[in-house]
């Protein structure tokens, strides 16, 4: 049975915390999970269930997220990566496995480029390697709604902008994922002290996905209907990384971790233990659900 530990740290005068579920019979390095800008350390139960049996699972409220202190003015990537390396030091391990999803994929990639010797394996999902002008405009409008206190409009706009709601494309658990994303965004708008600033940084402080990466085994995966950054562009990004593999997961969009959560967690566990990926359940299509005329169209 895992043992929970929460530790408070600081880096460059900014306080933050991380949570470690210690697994007594672990067979690989700890797995640090980095999620979206408005996701906190308690939002990854599926990773705990599937990765927990083989590794310590570590989640965090990094600077500027969750319960942590706000980030200082200016570019944030160096501060956040320093916070991640401080976690590795505090874990008292030479290396970790790093899982980054969406916004967290940019952070994880930045960490791997800064200190590759501390990263045993790198898994990146829903990588926002290319953001269109339409996406930037959507996030600008979302931040305006949030700043004006229109939380309902903010949550709806973000949920629609991050998902493919086109009935012609089969997305597993579409309705459930939509409700969850919208509810999560609404909760973040009402409770997060960093929500407005996180959105504004997401527009102006973009991660650098150029330059490639060497000496870190890397897995990049995308839902086949990702409308934030297309699978083709994510595949091109993966090609800049030596010793990398790219997988497209059927019947999912950008929120593949919600639509096929158990399968994604299983994929991560396989990758972080050097297991076979070709037989992973996430690569098998799921049974098509009956389309509903009430589902909104893809935006």
């Amino acid at each position: 049975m895992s043992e929970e530990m929460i530790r408070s740290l600081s880096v460059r005068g900014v306080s933050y915390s991380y949570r470690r579920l210690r697994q007594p019979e672990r067979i690989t390095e700890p797995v640090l999970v980095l999620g979206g800008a408005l996701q906190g350390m308690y939002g990854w139960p599926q990773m705990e269930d599937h990765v927990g049996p083989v590794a310590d699972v570590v989640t965090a409220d990094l600077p500027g997220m969750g319960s942590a202190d706000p980030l200082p003015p200016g570019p944030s990537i160096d501060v956040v990566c320093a916070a991640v390396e401080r976690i590795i030091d505090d874990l008292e391990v030479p290396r970790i496995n790093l899982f980054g999803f969406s916004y967290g994929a940019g952070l994880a990639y930045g960490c791997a480029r800064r200190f590759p010797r501390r990263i045993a394996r790198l898994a990146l999902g829903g990588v926002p390697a290319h953001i269109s002008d339409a996406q930037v405009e959507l996030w600008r409008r979302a931040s305006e709604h949030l700043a004006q206190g229109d939380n309902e409009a903010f949550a709806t706009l973000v949920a629609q902008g991050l998902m493919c709601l086109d009935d012609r494309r089969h997305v597993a658990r579409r309705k459930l994922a939509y409700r969850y994303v919208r509810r999560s965004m609404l909760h973040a708008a009402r409770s997060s002290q960093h929500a407005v600033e996180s959105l504004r940084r997401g527009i102006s402080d973009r991660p650098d996905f150029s330059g490639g990466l060497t000496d870190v085994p890397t897995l990049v995966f995308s839902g086949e209907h990702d409308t934030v950054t297309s699978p083709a562009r994510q595949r091109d990004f993966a090609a800049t990384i030596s010793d990398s593999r790219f997988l497209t997961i059927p019947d999912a969009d950008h929120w593949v971790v919600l639509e096929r959560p158990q399968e994604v967690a299983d994929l991560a566990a396989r990758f972080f233990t050097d297991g076979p990926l070709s037989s992973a359940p996430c690569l098998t299509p799921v049974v098509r659900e009956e389309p509903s005329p009430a589902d909104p169209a893809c935006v």
Side-chain angles (χ1 to χ4, degrees), residues 57-75:
V57 176
V58 182
T59 56
D61 282 350
L62 293 172
M65 304 177 194
S67 61
D69 286 347
L71 283 159

Side-chain angles (χ1 to χ4, degrees), residues 121-140:
R121 302 168 193 83
L122 178 66
L124 304 174
V127 182
H130 174 268
I131 299 298
S132 68
D133 291 342
Q135 281 282 333
V136 172
E137 174 60 18
L138 181 145
W139 285 107
R140 186 193 64 77

Side-chain angles (χ1 to χ4, degrees), residues 136-158:
V136 172
E137 174 60 18
L138 181 145
W139 285 107
R140 186 193 64 77
R141 287 191 288 126
S143 66
E144 288 181 354
H145 285 308
L146 193 57
Q148 294 166 4
D150 192 348
N151 297 336
E152 296 284 345
F154 159 76
T156 298
L157 185 61
V158 171

Side-chain angles (χ1 to χ4, degrees), residues 63-187:
M65 304 177 194
S67 61
D69 286 347
L71 283 159
S76 62
I77 186 66
D78 286 339
V79 176
V80 176
C81 287
V84 169
E85 190 167 26
R86 179 75 180 86
I87 291 175
I88 301 173
D89 291 338
D90 199 63
L91 292 171
E92 297 183 333
V93 294
R95 301 190 305 170
I96 62 165
N97 293 305
L98 193 52
F99 179 98
F101 169 72
S102 191
Y103 178 80
L107 302 180
Y109 181 64
C111 290
R113 292 181 65 186
R114 283 165 173 77
F115 38 88
R117 293 184 179 180
R118 308 299 303 273
I119 310 300
R121 302 168 193 83
L122 178 66
L124 304 174
V127 182
H130 174 268
I131 299 298
S132 68
D133 291 342
Q135 281 282 333
V136 172
E137 174 60 18
L138 181 145
W139 285 107
R140 186 193 64 77
R141 287 191 288 126
S143 66
E144 288 181 354
H145 285 308
L146 193 57
Q148 294 166 4
D150 192 348
N151 297 336
E152 296 284 345
F154 159 76
T156 298
L157 185 61
V158 171
Q160 292 180 348
L162 289 178
M163 302 184 70
C164 178
L165 303 175
D166 184 350
D167 280 339
R168 295 169 297 179
R169 304 180 185 184
H170 182 224
V171 175
R173 301 182 179 92
R174 173 186 275 126
K175 295 179 185 178
L176 181 63
Y178 177 83
R179 289 195 297 268
Y180 181 89
V181 171
R182 189 183 183 280
R183 186 171 64 248
S184 296
M185 293 300 125
L186 190 58
H187 174 75

Side-chain angles (χ1 to χ4, degrees), residues 1 16 41 59 95 118 137 176 244 269 271 279:
M1 187 169 181
Y16 64 103
M41 67 169 71
T59 56
R95 301 190 305 170
R118 308 299 303 273
E137 174 60 18
L176 181 63
S244 70
F271 176 67
S279 59

Side-chain angles (χ1 to χ4, degrees), residues 20 105 216 254:
R20 180 182 191 178
V216 179
H254 183 71

